Amino acid sequence: MMKNNIKWLAAVYMAIFTIGFYSCDDGYDLTYKGGLGLNLLELKQASELWNGRECNLFTELSKSNKEADNFSYKLNIALYQNRNADKNATVNLIVNKDSLSKVIAKAKAGEDGAYEKYKEAELLPEEFYLLPSDKLELLAGTKLSDDLELLVYSEKMISLVQKEERNMTFVLPLKIVDSSSYTINDKVNSLMLFFQVKYVAPETGPEYLPDPNPAPEELSDNLKLVWNEEFNYEGVPNPDVWRFEEGFQRNQELQWYSDKNGVCDGEVLVITGKRERVDNPNYQAGSSDWKTNREYAEYTSSSIVTKEYRFRKGTMLVRAKIPTESGAWPAIWTTGGSKDSWCWEWPLGGEIDILEYYFVNGVQSLHANACWGSDTRWSAKWDSYNRPLSDFTKKDANWAEKYHIWRMDWDDNYIKLYLDDELMNEIDLSKTNNGSGGLNDWWRGSWRNPFKDAGNDGEGFGQQIFLNLALGGNGGTPAISKFPLEYKVDYVRVYQNK
């Protein structure tokens, strides 16, 4: 991905197609220490061999243990010499596996020249790229078709290379065929995307890895473990403990929450934000409600919530590694209420944001907040605090590649929120009394204090725990080349007085 858009055209015969590739770089944040090279091979007119001029991009990556930016290309078709089309034309775009196999065979047979670079090449696996359509259309009177965006997941290539512990070369062979209106020269209708990835020994250390130790039974002389989730199993989060939120939920965020994007890998919970279109089953054309006027969601993610568990006071610890790319809005938060019909609706039950990460005035920031009820229904009073991410990355350039511990200490007088033992916010509970909440109903939380009041008798009143990765909204415009995003949660532990 380059800072200046560049277009490669396969020079072909009259009234035949060219195919253009653009790659873009919105400022590499490349931190993998190996090399990721891209080779686009441009074909000459009527060439018998793929030996045309080559454009080579090679990027030295500066750090380790973080995925490189994904590659994003815009593909199109045009007539030879960029002429106006006199009629509509459609072509199919295919991944030409057979052609690549033949070239690899020639390279391994010792044929040199243009084939030599294919000697160690492998076909880029389907899960390593997203090609949203297999057709390109050129309309009459135009010179270029609409762009079709191809996304290549470089972080998946790097992960495989690091797992295999060897250098690897991947090739994605693209070909245009089956024109509806014009002839295509079969010798010059293919382009090869080369990805050469080097293996490097990763930096290691406990801060980069899940904690293998069990939860301590005691945190101090006064605090004992009362509840924990270590996520050290495979599959969906324990359905007896957690439930998934579904669909569009809040804040006009972009993602559709799904139960498919949150999986335990044997060590941690991995919530993956994906760029993929899903139908909105609640769609209503012309609706004024943002949850129903979107026919599709272009992104998916997961949010899990404790089913029955509620807690009040004590210390809560969460160890996690968060995505910091534009568009990411990871969170660790709680909301108050009960397990029965007398639940205090938001925000009368209180909310504690142990972690939120999103933009403030264009600056990526880490947040530690709490809120409670005002005199207006569904409108909160906030005690908010945020710190620019740069405050942390200036001290540690690898901050985003490491696990960190978010902590809440909650007693009768204060809620204190910490990041890696650094105090982020201190909420004075003498100031967190609800207003009327627009309900004027003491039984439902009006004029009560959600962080000091134990709720109504028999309610099981307390805070439930949310772990989620939202996309868009306050998180900013998603950077397509960064997807998929991964939010990893190592554990959640709650300690209370003995």
Side-chain angles (χ1 to χ4, degrees), residues 24 48 77 104 147 183 207 463:
C24 60
E48 294 294 336
I77 55 173
I104 292 174
D147 292 329
T183 303
E207 65 271 25
Q463 298 279 310

Side-chain angles (χ1 to χ4, degrees), residues 55-178:
C55 292
N56 296 287
L57 308 179
F58 189 81
T59 305
E60 286 290 346
L61 310 179
S62 59
K63 304 172 198 168
S64 65
N65 292 308
K66 188 178 188 305
E67 298 87 352
D69 287 358
N70 295 323
F71 287 88
S72 178
Y73 305 97
K74 292 181 179 178
L75 289 65
N76 59 44
I77 55 173
L79 293 180
Y80 177 56
Q81 294 183 344
N82 209 26
R83 298 176 180 178
N84 282 332
D86 58 7
K87 51 191 170 183
N88 292 346
T90 302
V91 298
N92 292 329
L93 179 63
I94 66 171
V95 177
N96 196 10
K97 300 178 183 179
D98 291 340
S99 178
L100 178 60
S101 297
K102 291 176 183 178
V103 177
I104 292 174
K106 287 179 179 289
K108 292 183 176 179
E111 297 192 29
D112 55 9
Y115 299 124
E116 180 65 25
K117 64 180 68 64
Y118 295 89
K119 192 171 184 179
E120 303 298 329
E122 302 178 29
L123 176 68
L124 186 68
E126 290 184 10
E127 63 269 23
F128 284 21
Y129 64 89
L130 173 64
L131 191 61
S133 176
D134 59 359
K135 295 187 183 299
L136 291 165
E137 184 176 14
L138 180 66
L139 298 178
T142 63
K143 293 183 178 181
L144 288 175
S145 68
D146 288 340
D147 292 329
L148 174 66
E149 187 160 25
L150 166 70
L151 189 61
V152 179
Y153 301 134
S154 55
E155 85 285 348
K156 291 191 175 184
M157 290 186 279
I158 290 171
S159 295
L160 179 59
V161 165
Q162 295 301 99
K163 181 179 179 181
E164 295 284 331
E165 298 185 354
R166 63 185 176 93
N167 299 340
M168 300 179 75
T169 298
F170 302 99
V171 180
L172 181 60
L174 296 174
K175 182 177 182 180
I176 50 175
V177 296
D178 303 327

Side-chain angles (χ1 to χ4, degrees), residues 175-194:
K175 182 177 182 180
I176 50 175
V177 296
D178 303 327
S179 168
S180 63
S181 301
Y182 298 95
T183 303
I184 300 177
N185 186 327
D186 194 51
K187 288 188 173 64
V188 291
N189 61 344
S190 299
L191 284 174
M192 301 289 179
L193 282 77
F194 282 74

